[in-house]
Amino acid sequence: MFMIVIWIRSDPNGDVMGTDTAFSYFQELEILKELDEEQSKAFLDLLVLAKFADTKVTEDELEQMDEELMRLPFLWDADVRERVVAHSAETRTYLEEHITDHETVTKFVKELGARITEEAHQTVALRMFVAVTIADGITELERNRCITFAEALGQRREDVDRLIEQLADH
């Protein structure tokens, strides 16, 4: 069974913060409880993509993913959770095979953006994607993936750069 982690990051003192602390500044997190199964799949695909954004995922990161999924607020029902987790495992396999193929990943990112249609969900999705993507620092590739996703949601590059700066300061 495959599961995903939001991310573990360090605070300015170097102490590790867990999922709840890392997302404490997401006032919108409650909205995730409202997601239906298809929307949940889109959000988990987004988080898997964020973990693979730099094309390097360690075994420790994969183990963290396995441990943390059940803490996500939108996996409310065991049957739904099973289907969503299976879908995410397929996404992980797909991304592992194609993560270095820029065109394939760009297409995946754009299609993912099209699956998140409600404005409130888009806001949360972008913040989550950026936060998870930059949790261990940010490369130009990761920044470009954040921008591609934001543009798929109809956001501007400048807004993404401002969000990256804001979240990197936390």
Side-chain angles (χ1 to χ4, degrees), residues 32 43 48-50 63 85 98 105 107 119 141 145 147 169:
L32 295 181
F43 267 77
V48 171
L49 175 63
E63 286 178 25
V85 168
H98 300 287
V105 174
K107 179 181 176 194
E119 187 175 341
L141 175 61
R145 294 231 165 111
I147 289 168
D169 289 342

Side-chain angles (χ1 to χ4, degrees), residues 1 69-70 75-86:
M1 176 180 273
L69 178 63
M70 296 310 162
L75 296 178
W76 63 94
D77 174 89
D79 291 334
V80 170
R81 180 174 45 240
E82 188 174 312
R83 289 189 302 270
V84 170
V85 168

